[in-house]
Amino acid sequence: MSASLSGRINVRSIFATTMAIFAIFMLSAGIAHAQFLFWPRDTFWPDHYAPFKHKHHHRQTNSESAKDARPEAPPKGPLQIIISIADQRVSLFDNGTLIARSPVSTGTQEHPTPLGVFSVIGKQRWHRSNIYSAAPMPYMQRITWSGIALHAGVVPGHPASHGCIRLKNDFAIRLWHLTKRGTRVIIAHDDVQPVEITNPHLFKPKAVSGSPEFQAATVAESISTVAVTHGSPVSNAETPEATSLQVPGSAPAGGAPKKIVPISVFVSRKLSKLFVRQGFSPLFDVPIKIENPEEPLGTHVFTAMEFQNGGAAIRWTVVSIPEELPRISEGATKEREAPAKQTAPLVSLPEKANAALDRIEIPQDTVERISELLTPASSLIISDNGFSHETGKDTDFIVVTH
């Protein structure tokens, strides 16, 4: 082989090697850039809920990686999503404790976002609107069958949607993986938050029978199971929230735990009735008496958090929704102080909630029946209103306050 031919071959080899190294470098840089794009910016997310290592592409070419994305730790108890219209902000509470917060964009004055008590009734990773020209609604979590949902979208810093709650993309992904059907969603004009409450009229679980060791095991299992049924992303997001759980006061039959689902109780001053649902299905309703029925009770959402005292008691929190205030204009919302200032949310003191409980008289047999069904993540909603016409098949109670 001539020297000139050998030189040409060496030059070609060097060129090919250089191009290969360059391609590897560009690919690595592209991946790093893609990961950086979805790293949280102005979203608060504590360390024990670290960001997902989620490679998200516009066309989602790797759906399996999205399914496998998981937080570092599952929720410790019931999740509550609270949205403040005035602050254009969503707050996520786990077991009564704030764990995440992010800006949102809600409905305009022409297409307002309804206020009230909702829950996640359906989830879809990639969804298109059935109403607005098939507009994309990625990481959609439906809260009404008429079209209101939480989903990833443009968040310009003021109301801009047709009624939905737009979330920043990174927050929408994380939230989608944490929630399940039944996760409570509360939409209020101002910022509210759950607070601890004790009241002799709150429902109590049936007393646990058996040894202290059995009681301790039962309570530990129930708390762990609630973390799975109300937030853990380990199962299909559309699966009903029936889960194996040993209920305090019941003995396992042949070692097989019961399949149970948290209940929802709704008390309406307007209807003077109490309604009970379990797993989005109605169980029963009964008439009740309300002291001074012409006076408002307000709207309060009580949530059973976890068993206490060996299962003989249960810890409750309450979110009291303030009385309706006039809606602020879109221009006024834009002029609000920057979210970065992060003013503390208003604390909903439990005095009004306690007063509402004290005025409601529930038949004793109904109290006992509810106590037998009571589990962590169960809820009690008290309102001056009736439930919305949106309440129906495959929904929890939907209570619209405005």
Side-chain angles (χ1 to χ4, degrees):
M1 182 181 297
S2 66
S4 60
L5 178 59
S6 176
R8 286 197 299 273
I9 292 174
N10 289 338
V11 169
R12 289 175 181 175
S13 299
I14 292 171
F15 178 80
T17 301
T18 301
M19 292 302 295
I21 293 172
F22 179 77
I24 292 172
F25 172 80
M26 291 301 294
L27 178 60
S28 300
I31 293 173
H33 178 66
Q35 290 176 335
F36 174 79
L37 286 177
F38 290 92
W39 197 258
R41 295 180 179 86
D42 52 358
T43 301
F44 158 61
W45 206 283
D47 292 340
H48 70 286
Y49 278 89
F52 296 132
K53 296 184 184 303
H54 182 85
K55 298 177 183 178
H56 175 71
H57 302 278
H58 179 67
R59 298 189 175 219
Q60 190 61 22
T61 56
N62 190 355
S63 61
E64 292 304 316
S65 66
K67 291 180 181 179
D68 293 338
R70 296 291 183 262
E72 289 189 354
K76 296 178 180 179
L79 290 175
Q80 295 168 294
I81 301 169
I82 299 180
I83 294 150
S84 167
I85 299 295
D87 294 292
Q88 290 292 284
R89 185 172 65 189
V90 57
S91 300
L92 178 64
F93 293 84
D94 174 11
N95 208 32
T97 301
L98 177 67
I99 64 167
R101 177 168 281 164
S102 182
V104 299
S105 181
T106 57
T108 62
Q109 286 188 314
E110 293 75 21
H111 302 277
T113 298
L115 306 182
V117 184
F118 309 85
S119 62
V120 175
I121 59 177
K123 298 176 64 174
Q124 192 172 349
R125 186 178 279 106
W126 302 111
H127 178 74
R128 287 188 175 275
S129 172
N130 300 320
I131 303 174
Y132 299 108
S133 305
M137 300 168 62
Y139 295 94
M140 182 272 291
Q141 303 195 56
R142 186 184 299 279
I143 61 173
T144 74
W145 290 118
S146 62
I148 305 300
L150 294 84
H151 63 84
V154 177
V155 180
H158 56 83
S161 78
H162 284 84
C164 284
I165 298 96
R166 296 183 190 169
L167 308 171
K168 284 185 171 291
N169 191 77
D170 61 298
F171 189 91
I173 294 170
R174 290 160 176 77
L175 188 65
W176 196 92
H177 283 285
L178 282 172
T179 61
K180 286 185 70 70
R181 292 178 65 212
T183 297
R184 179 68 65 204
V185 179
I186 296 172
I187 306 175
H189 181 274
D190 290 311
D191 204 2
V192 295
Q193 67 180 18
V195 294
E196 297 276 340
I197 186 170
T198 57
N199 186 290
H201 296 106
L202 283 168
F203 301 113
K204 301 175 182 64
K206 285 289 187 180
V208 176
S209 60
S211 67
E213 292 78 10
F214 171 76
Q215 295 176 17
T218 300
V219 174
E221 182 184 11
S222 66
I223 294 173
S224 175
T225 304
V226 168
V228 173
T229 57
H230 280 261
S232 173
V234 297
S235 60
N236 189 322
E238 297 299 334
T239 301
E241 294 181 292
T243 304
S244 299
L245 171 63
Q246 178 60 43
V247 182
S250 64
K258 288 184 176 182
K259 293 281 188 179
I260 63 115
V261 177
I263 60 170
S264 294
V265 181
F266 175 57
V267 173
S268 168
R269 182 177 69 91
K270 178 180 180 180
L271 303 175
S272 294
K273 294 187 77 172
L274 176 149
F275 304 82
V276 179
R277 287 192 164 221
Q278 185 176 43
F280 290 1
S281 299
L283 289 185
F284 62 90
D285 59 84
V286 296
I288 57 168
K289 294 181 180 179
I290 299 176
E291 182 183 348
N292 300 323
E294 69 284 351
E295 295 183 7
L297 291 169
T299 299
H300 313 276
V301 183
F302 303 83
T303 305
M305 291 291 159
E306 59 196 359
F307 289 124
Q308 294 180 325
N309 301 330
I314 203 161
R315 181 171 70 91
W316 288 91
T317 66
V318 62
V319 176
S320 294
I321 300 178
E323 295 179 5
E324 178 189 329
L325 296 174
R327 284 183 176 270
I328 56 176
S329 67
E330 183 174 326
T333 304
K334 291 180 182 179
E335 295 172 3
R336 291 182 63 87
E337 293 181 353
K341 199 167 184 178
Q342 296 293 319
T343 56
L346 296 176
V347 176
S348 299
L349 298 176
E351 282 80 4
K352 288 187 177 180
N354 275 314
L357 288 168
D358 294 342
R359 290 171 51 197
I360 299 169
E361 182 180 338
I362 303 173
Q364 186 58 35
D365 60 339
T366 299
V367 172
E368 292 176 359
R369 188 174 178 184
I370 291 173
S371 295
E372 292 175 353
L373 299 169
L374 190 64
T375 68
S378 295
S379 61
L380 165 64
I381 304 168
I382 295 176
S383 181
D384 296 313
N385 307 296
F387 49 73
S388 166
H389 69 278
E390 296 265 9
T391 302
K393 183 179 180 181
D394 292 330
T395 76
D396 198 344
F397 294 111
I398 297 176
V399 182
V400 176
T401 60
H402 181 69

